Coordinates of all heavy atoms in Angstrom, one line a residue:
G438 N 4.6 -19.6 -178.9 CA 5.4 -18.5 -179.4 C 4.5 -17.5 -180.1 O 4.2 -17.6 -181.3
P439 N 4.0 -16.5 -179.3 CA 2.9 -15.6 -179.8 C 3.3 -14.7 -181.0 O 4.5 -14.4 -181.2 CB 2.6 -14.8 -178.6 CG 3.8 -14.7 -177.8 CD 4.5 -16.1 -178.0
N440 N 2.3 -14.3 -181.7 CA 2.4 -13.3 -182.7 C 3.3 -13.8 -183.9 O 4.1 -12.9 -184.3 CB 2.9 -12.0 -182.1 CG 2.6 -10.8 -182.9 OD1 1.5 -10.6 -183.5 ND2 3.6 -9.8 -183.0
R441 N 3.1 -14.9 -184.3 CA 4.0 -15.5 -185.3 C 3.4 -15.6 -186.7 O 4.1 -15.4 -187.6 CB 4.5 -16.9 -184.8 CG 5.6 -17.5 -185.7 CD 5.8 -18.9 -185.4 NE 4.7 -19.8 -185.6 CZ 4.4 -20.4 -186.7 NH1 5.2 -20.2 -187.8 NH2 3.4 -21.3 -186.9
A442 N 2.1 -16.1 -186.8 CA 1.6 -16.5 -188.0 C 0.1 -16.2 -188.1 O -0.6 -16.0 -187.1 CB 1.8 -18.0 -188.3
R443 N -0.4 -16.1 -189.4 CA -1.8 -15.7 -189.6 C -2.5 -17.0 -190.0 O -3.8 -16.9 -190.3 CB -1.9 -14.8 -190.8 CG -1.2 -13.4 -190.5 CD -1.3 -12.5 -191.6 NE -0.7 -11.2 -191.2 CZ 0.6 -10.8 -191.4 NH1 1.4 -11.6 -192.1 NH2 1.0 -9.6 -191.1
D444 N -1.9 -18.2 -190.0 CA -2.5 -19.5 -190.5 C -2.0 -20.5 -189.6 O -0.7 -20.6 -189.2 CB -2.3 -19.8 -191.9 CG -2.8 -18.7 -192.9 OD1 -3.9 -18.7 -193.3 OD2 -1.9 -17.8 -193.2
L445 N -2.8 -21.5 -189.1 CA -2.3 -22.5 -188.2 C -3.2 -23.8 -188.4 O -4.4 -23.7 -188.2 CB -2.3 -22.1 -186.7 CG -1.9 -23.1 -185.7 CD1 -0.4 -23.5 -185.9 CD2 -2.2 -22.6 -184.3
K446 N -2.5 -24.8 -188.9 CA -3.2 -26.1 -189.0 C -4.6 -26.1 -189.7 O -5.6 -26.6 -189.3 CB -3.4 -26.7 -187.7 CG -2.2 -27.1 -186.9 CD -1.5 -28.4 -187.4 CE -0.3 -28.7 -186.5 NZ 0.3 -29.9 -187.0
G447 N -4.6 -25.3 -190.8 CA -5.9 -25.1 -191.5 C -6.7 -24.0 -191.1 O -7.8 -23.7 -191.8
A448 N -6.5 -23.4 -189.9 CA -7.3 -22.3 -189.5 C -6.7 -21.0 -190.1 O -5.4 -20.8 -189.9 CB -7.3 -22.2 -187.9
A449 N -7.4 -20.2 -190.7 CA -7.0 -19.0 -191.3 C -7.6 -17.8 -190.6 O -8.8 -17.6 -190.3 CB -7.3 -18.9 -192.7
F450 N -6.6 -16.8 -190.1 CA -7.1 -15.7 -189.4 C -6.9 -14.4 -190.3 O -6.5 -14.6 -191.4 CB -6.2 -15.5 -188.2 CG -6.0 -16.8 -187.3 CD1 -4.7 -17.2 -187.2 CD2 -7.1 -17.5 -187.0 CE1 -4.5 -18.4 -186.5 CE2 -6.9 -18.7 -186.3 CZ -5.5 -19.2 -186.0
G451 N -7.3 -13.3 -189.8 CA -7.2 -12.0 -190.6 C -5.7 -11.6 -190.6 O -4.8 -12.1 -189.9
E452 N -5.5 -10.6 -191.5 CA -4.1 -10.1 -191.7 C -3.7 -9.5 -190.3 O -2.5 -9.5 -190.0 CB -4.1 -9.0 -192.8 CG -4.9 -9.3 -194.0 CD -4.5 -10.6 -194.7 OE1 -3.5 -11.2 -194.4 OE2 -5.3 -11.0 -195.6
D453 N -4.6 -8.9 -189.6 CA -4.2 -8.3 -188.3 C -4.0 -9.3 -187.1 O -3.9 -8.8 -186.0 CB -5.2 -7.2 -188.0 CG -6.6 -7.7 -187.7 OD1 -6.8 -8.8 -188.0 OD2 -7.5 -6.9 -187.3
A454 N -4.1 -10.6 -187.4 CA -3.9 -11.6 -186.4 C -2.4 -11.4 -185.9 O -2.1 -11.7 -184.7 CB -4.1 -12.9 -186.8
V455 N -1.5 -11.0 -186.7 CA -0.1 -10.7 -186.4 C -0.1 -9.2 -186.2 O -0.4 -8.4 -187.1 CB 0.8 -11.1 -187.4 CG1 2.2 -10.5 -187.2 CG2 0.9 -12.7 -187.4
V456 N 0.4 -8.6 -185.1 CA 0.4 -7.2 -184.8 C 1.8 -6.7 -184.9 O 2.8 -7.4 -184.6 CB -0.3 -6.9 -183.5 CG1 -1.8 -7.4 -183.5 CG2 0.5 -7.5 -182.3
Y457 N 2.0 -5.4 -185.2 CA 3.3 -4.8 -185.3 C 3.7 -4.0 -184.0 O 4.8 -3.7 -183.9 CB 3.4 -3.8 -186.5 CG 3.1 -4.5 -187.8 CD1 2.4 -3.9 -188.8 CD2 3.7 -5.7 -188.2 CE1 2.2 -4.5 -190.0 CE2 3.6 -6.4 -189.4 CZ 2.8 -5.7 -190.3 OH 2.6 -6.4 -191.5
D458 N 2.8 -3.9 -183.1 CA 3.1 -3.1 -181.9 C 3.1 -4.1 -180.6 O 2.9 -3.6 -179.5 CB 2.0 -2.1 -181.6 CG 0.6 -2.6 -181.5 OD1 0.4 -3.8 -181.7 OD2 -0.3 -1.8 -181.2
Y459 N 3.4 -5.3 -180.8 CA 3.4 -6.3 -179.7 C 4.5 -5.8 -178.7 O 4.1 -5.6 -177.5 CB 3.9 -7.7 -180.2 CG 3.7 -8.8 -179.2 CD1 2.7 -9.6 -179.1 CD2 4.8 -9.0 -178.3 CE1 2.6 -10.6 -178.2 CE2 4.7 -10.0 -177.4 CZ 3.6 -10.8 -177.3 OH 3.5 -11.9 -176.4
D460 N 5.7 -5.6 -179.0 CA 6.7 -5.2 -178.0 C 6.5 -3.7 -177.6 O 6.9 -3.4 -176.5 CB 8.1 -5.4 -178.6 CG 8.4 -4.5 -179.8 OD1 7.7 -4.7 -180.8 OD2 9.3 -3.6 -179.8
V461 N 5.9 -2.9 -178.5 CA 5.6 -1.6 -178.1 C 4.7 -1.5 -176.9 O 4.9 -0.7 -175.9 CB 5.0 -0.8 -179.3 CG1 4.4 0.5 -178.8 CG2 6.0 -0.6 -180.3
N462 N 3.7 -2.4 -176.9 CA 2.8 -2.4 -175.7 C 3.4 -3.0 -174.5 O 3.1 -2.5 -173.3 CB 1.5 -3.3 -176.0 CG 0.5 -2.5 -176.8 OD1 0.1 -1.4 -176.6 ND2 0.1 -3.1 -178.0
V463 N 4.4 -3.8 -174.6 CA 5.2 -4.3 -173.4 C 6.0 -3.1 -172.9 O 6.0 -2.9 -171.7 CB 6.1 -5.5 -173.8 CG1 7.1 -5.8 -172.7 CG2 5.3 -6.7 -174.2
L464 N 6.6 -2.3 -173.8 CA 7.4 -1.2 -173.3 C 6.5 -0.2 -172.7 O 6.8 0.5 -171.7 CB 8.2 -0.6 -174.5 CG 9.0 0.6 -174.2 CD1 10.1 0.3 -173.2 CD2 9.7 1.1 -175.5
R465 N 5.3 0.1 -173.3 CA 4.4 1.0 -172.7 C 4.0 0.7 -171.3 O 3.8 1.5 -170.4 CB 3.1 1.1 -173.6 CG 3.3 1.8 -175.0 CD 2.0 1.7 -175.7 NE 0.9 2.6 -175.1 CZ -0.4 2.3 -175.1 NH1 -0.8 1.1 -175.5 NH2 -1.2 3.2 -174.5
W466 N 3.9 -0.6 -171.1 CA 3.5 -1.1 -169.7 C 4.6 -0.8 -168.7 O 4.4 -0.2 -167.6 CB 3.3 -2.6 -169.7 CG 2.7 -3.2 -168.4 CD1 3.4 -3.8 -167.5 CD2 1.4 -3.1 -168.0 NE1 2.5 -4.2 -166.5 CE2 1.2 -3.8 -166.8 CE3 0.2 -2.5 -168.5 CZ2 0.1 -3.8 -166.1 CZ3 -1.0 -2.5 -167.9 CH2 -1.1 -3.2 -166.6
F467 N 5.8 -1.0 -169.1 CA 6.9 -0.7 -168.2 C 7.1 0.8 -168.1 O 7.4 1.4 -167.0 CB 8.3 -1.3 -168.7 CG 8.3 -2.8 -168.5 CD1 8.7 -3.6 -169.5 CD2 7.9 -3.4 -167.3 CE1 8.7 -5.0 -169.3 CE2 7.9 -4.8 -167.1 CZ 8.3 -5.6 -168.1
D468 N 7.0 1.6 -169.2 CA 7.1 3.0 -169.1 C 6.0 3.6 -168.2 O 6.4 4.6 -167.4 CB 6.9 3.6 -170.5 CG 8.1 3.5 -171.4 OD1 9.2 3.2 -170.9 OD2 8.0 3.9 -172.6
R469 N 4.9 3.1 -168.2 CA 3.8 3.7 -167.4 C 4.1 3.4 -165.9 O 4.0 4.3 -165.0 CB 2.4 3.0 -167.7 CG 1.3 3.6 -166.9 CD 1.1 5.0 -167.1 NE 0.1 5.7 -166.2 CZ 0.5 6.3 -165.0 NH1 1.7 6.4 -164.7 NH2 -0.4 6.8 -164.3
H470 N 4.5 2.2 -165.6 CA 4.5 1.7 -164.1 C 5.9 1.9 -163.5 O 6.0 1.8 -162.3 CB 4.0 0.3 -164.0 CG 2.5 0.2 -164.3 ND1 1.5 0.7 -163.7 CD2 2.0 -0.4 -165.5 CE1 0.3 0.4 -164.2 NE2 0.6 -0.2 -165.3
L471 N 6.9 2.0 -164.3 CA 8.2 2.2 -163.8 C 8.9 3.6 -164.0 O 9.7 4.0 -163.3 CB 9.2 1.1 -164.4 CG 9.0 -0.3 -164.1 CD1 9.9 -1.2 -164.8 CD2 9.0 -0.5 -162.5
K472 N 8.4 4.3 -165.1 CA 8.9 5.6 -165.3 C 7.9 6.7 -165.1 O 8.2 7.9 -165.2 CB 9.4 5.7 -166.8 CG 10.7 4.9 -167.1 CD 11.2 5.3 -168.4 CE 12.5 4.6 -168.7 NZ 13.0 5.0 -170.1
G473 N 6.6 6.3 -164.9 CA 5.5 7.2 -164.7 C 5.0 8.0 -165.8 O 4.4 9.1 -165.7
I474 N 5.3 7.4 -167.0 CA 4.9 8.1 -168.2 C 3.4 7.9 -168.5 O 2.9 6.8 -168.5 CB 5.7 7.6 -169.5 CG1 7.2 7.9 -169.2 CG2 5.2 8.2 -170.7 CD1 8.1 7.3 -170.4
A475 N 2.7 9.0 -168.6 CA 1.2 8.9 -168.8 C 0.9 8.6 -170.3 O 0.6 9.5 -171.0 CB 0.6 10.3 -168.4

Side-chain angles (χ1 to χ4, degrees):
N440 200 39
R441 184 189 68 85
R443 300 176 174 97
D444 303 272
L445 179 64
K446 298 282 186 179
F450 317 123
E452 320 303 351
D453 61 351
V455 170
V456 300
Y457 297 137
D458 61 352
Y459 188 99
D460 64 297
V461 168
N462 281 309
V463 171
L464 180 59
R465 291 177 69 219
W466 189 255
F467 288 135
D468 278 353
R469 179 68 189 94
H470 296 291
L471 296 178
K472 290 187 177 182
I474 297 174

